[in-house]
């Protein structure tokens, strides 16, 4: 797994073999999301639109949006709402304003109920319009209106005086009198044009007052994140964390999976493999205590990082493979010897494979098995050498680290046993039932007549 590419088939294998654990973690995440939703009450958001007639530049619209969320507007809105314990500074976190297309300021208000959210948006919009009207001078009184009117009166009086001066000038047709009357006419025209430009430059004349485009709509749903979203997010987060945790643990695993690595760790030659029919109980942890039940409940009693067992031959084919391993073991021994079969504790598949080897060795004159010894990988201890003259290690691939296997090898050496070979136990799936026209165990009687059948003649 360390060098393998993470593929969808790997994730699918995790889901298939750890679905109980993943389901429990997803439920825990959903409960956590529900608890978080209780800490944050539901919130509702709605918007009110304010129209700004006339020609407005983009920066002017942005300025009006900033004014909508300023303390000058929000303090007046808070005072008009009259909500207990809610001030203008608290409304700053509940109100936002954006400049939209078409000279529109969109004011959004958020509160704990749809009614309060609607009232908040409408009130801020009204206060913005009122504040803009006061800035433009609509509510400034007669003093603000008197200044433009006084200017107009002065222009009228100046124009009248210019006319009087023109009439009092020399009525003759001299060059000086004509020039004087022309200059006075130009002055009167310039005054009228200046007043006209002043009126056009007046903001109140070029831009009408702001208008609230109707009341805000009452929201019919919560603002995100809703309680449902928090629950789903919690379940999905815990599910993904569990998948990532499995992948990280597999990549950090130091368990040996290849035959050369296992042979190098034990310092012996690999003789072959023995097929063991995969049974679910073979993966159960030993004991019936609470920990075993919890592991079964969470699905931790089944290895997920091992590939699915391959289809095997029938019983006769598995016996042939077992005999071939015994034949290689005979070839590796210079003379008939009694062997001690060593199996790591907890490797039930290897223990069943050792049983098959012992049963096969009973019919062999050159092989004698003194027994099967279970060795703890945490504290390896092998029985001292008696009349045995070697040890045969049987184990499953992908379950033990190099350090654990080296410990077993050292324990065998300390007890005076030489490791004469290694046998891998491979879980396999039984072949599907054969067709009705051919008996499923038709090959077994044919092999039973031969001399290689366990229990048969030597």
């Amino acid at each position: 797994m360390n060098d393998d590419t993470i593929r969808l088939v790997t994730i699918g294998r995790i889901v298939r073999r750890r679905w109980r654990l993943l389901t429990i973690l997803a439920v825990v995440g959903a409960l956590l999301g529900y608890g978080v939703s209780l800490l944050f009450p539901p919130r509702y958001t709605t918007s009110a639109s304010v129209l700004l007639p006339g020609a407005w530049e983009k920066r002017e619209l942005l300025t009006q949006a900033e004014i909508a969320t300023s303390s000058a507007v929000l303090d007046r809105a808070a005072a008009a709402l009259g909500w207990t314990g809610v001030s203008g500074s608290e409304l700053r976190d509940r109100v936002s304003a954006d400049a939209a297309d078409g000279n529109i300021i969109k004011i959004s208000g958020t509160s704990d109920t749809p009614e309060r959210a609607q009232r908040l948006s409408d009130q801020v919009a009204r206060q913005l319009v009122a504040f803009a009207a006061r800035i433009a001078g609509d509510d400034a009184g007669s003093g603000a209106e008197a200044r433009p009117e006084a200017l107009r009166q002065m222009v009228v009086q100046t124009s009248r005086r210019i006319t009087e001066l023109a009439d009092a000038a020399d009525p003759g047709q001299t060059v000086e009198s004509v020039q004087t009357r022309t200059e006075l006419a130009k002055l009167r025209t310039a005054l009228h044009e200046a007043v006209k430009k002043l009126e056009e430059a007046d903001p109140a004349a070029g831009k009408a007052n702001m208008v609230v485009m109707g009341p805000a709509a009452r929201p019919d749903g919560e603002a995100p994140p809703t309680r449902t979203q928090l629950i789903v997010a919690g379940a999905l987060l815990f599910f993904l964390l569990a998948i990532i945790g499995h992948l990280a643990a597999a990549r950090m695993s130091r368990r040996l999976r290849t035959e050369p690595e296992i042979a190098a760790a034990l310092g012996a030659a690999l003789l072959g493999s023995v097929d063991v029919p995969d049974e679910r109980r073979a993966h159960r942890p030993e004991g019936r205590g609470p920990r075993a039940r919890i592991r079964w409940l969470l699905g931790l009693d089944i290895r997920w990082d091992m590939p699915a067992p391959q289809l095997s031959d029938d019983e006769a084919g598995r016996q042939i493979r077992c005999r071939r391993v015994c034949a290689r073991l005979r070839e590796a021994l210079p003379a008939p010897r009694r062997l001690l079969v060593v199996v790591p504790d907890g490797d039930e598949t290897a223990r069943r494979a050792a049983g098959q080897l012992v049963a096969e060795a009973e019919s062999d004159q050159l092989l004698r098995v003194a027994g099967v010894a279970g060795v703890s990988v945490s504290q390896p201890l092998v029985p001292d050498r008696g009349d045995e003259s070697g040890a045969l290690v049987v184990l499953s691939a992908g379950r033990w680290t190099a350090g654990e296997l080296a410990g077993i090898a050292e324990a065998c050496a300390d007890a005076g046993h030489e490791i004469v070979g290694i046998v891998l136990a491979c879980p396999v799936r039984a072949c599907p039932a054969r067709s009705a026209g051919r008996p499923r165990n038709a090959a077994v009687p044919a092999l039973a007549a031969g001399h290689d059948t366990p229990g048969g003649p030597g």
Side-chain angles (χ1 to χ4, degrees), residues 380-385 407-417:
L381 181 62
V382 178
D384 291 335
R385 176 178 177 179
I408 294 177
E410 292 177 1
C412 292
D414 292 341
H417 298 284

Side-chain angles (χ1 to χ4, degrees), residues 251-388:
R251 284 195 171 273
M252 296 174 61
S253 177
R254 298 181 179 179
R255 292 169 175 163
L256 304 182
R257 302 174 183 276
T258 63
E259 297 177 357
E261 292 176 339
I262 296 174
L266 288 172
L270 183 67
L271 300 178
S273 60
V274 175
D275 292 341
V276 179
D278 182 50
E279 297 180 5
R280 188 169 180 81
R281 61 176 179 271
H283 301 279
R284 298 294 187 192
E286 296 181 355
R288 298 179 179 273
R291 293 186 59 183
R293 294 182 180 275
I294 293 175
R295 289 176 60 85
W296 173 82
L297 178 64
L298 299 180
L300 300 178
D301 56 340
I302 300 178
R303 295 284 302 278
W304 73 268
D305 52 347
M306 298 297 294
Q310 298 181 353
L311 288 174
S312 71
D313 301 329
D314 52 14
E315 182 66 24
R318 290 192 290 270
Q319 290 179 0
I320 292 175
R321 295 176 66 89
C322 185
R323 294 192 190 99
R324 289 174 179 173
V325 171
C326 292
R328 296 190 189 101
L329 182 58
R330 287 194 305 269
E331 295 174 358
L333 299 177
R337 302 166 63 177
R338 291 178 60 86
L339 300 178
L340 176 67
V341 179
V342 177
V343 178
D345 284 344
D347 196 341
E348 189 64 26
T349 303
R351 184 172 293 275
R352 297 174 62 205
Q356 295 182 17
L357 290 173
V358 171
E360 185 65 30
E362 291 178 353
S363 62
D364 198 313
Q365 299 295 334
L366 300 180
L367 293 179
R368 291 293 181 267
V369 177
V372 178
V375 179
S376 173
V377 293
S378 59
Q379 296 179 349
L381 181 62
V382 178
D384 291 335
R385 176 178 177 179
D387 56 351
E388 303 91 355

Side-chain angles (χ1 to χ4, degrees), residues 195-279:
V195 172
K196 184 177 180 181
K197 291 181 179 180
L198 182 62
E199 292 178 349
E200 292 177 353
D202 186 6
K207 299 175 181 177
N209 294 333
M210 298 182 183
V211 179
V212 179
M213 301 176 62
R218 179 167 297 184
D220 54 358
E222 300 180 20
T226 64
R227 175 168 296 177
T228 302
Q229 291 174 342
L230 289 174
I231 292 175
V232 173
L236 184 60
L237 176 62
F238 273 58
F239 180 84
L240 293 179
L241 288 179
I243 295 292
I244 294 173
H246 279 77
L247 295 176
R251 284 195 171 273
M252 296 174 61
S253 177
R254 298 181 179 179
R255 292 169 175 163
L256 304 182
R257 302 174 183 276
T258 63
E259 297 177 357
E261 292 176 339
I262 296 174
L266 288 172
L270 183 67
L271 300 178
S273 60
V274 175
D275 292 341
V276 179
D278 182 50
E279 297 180 5

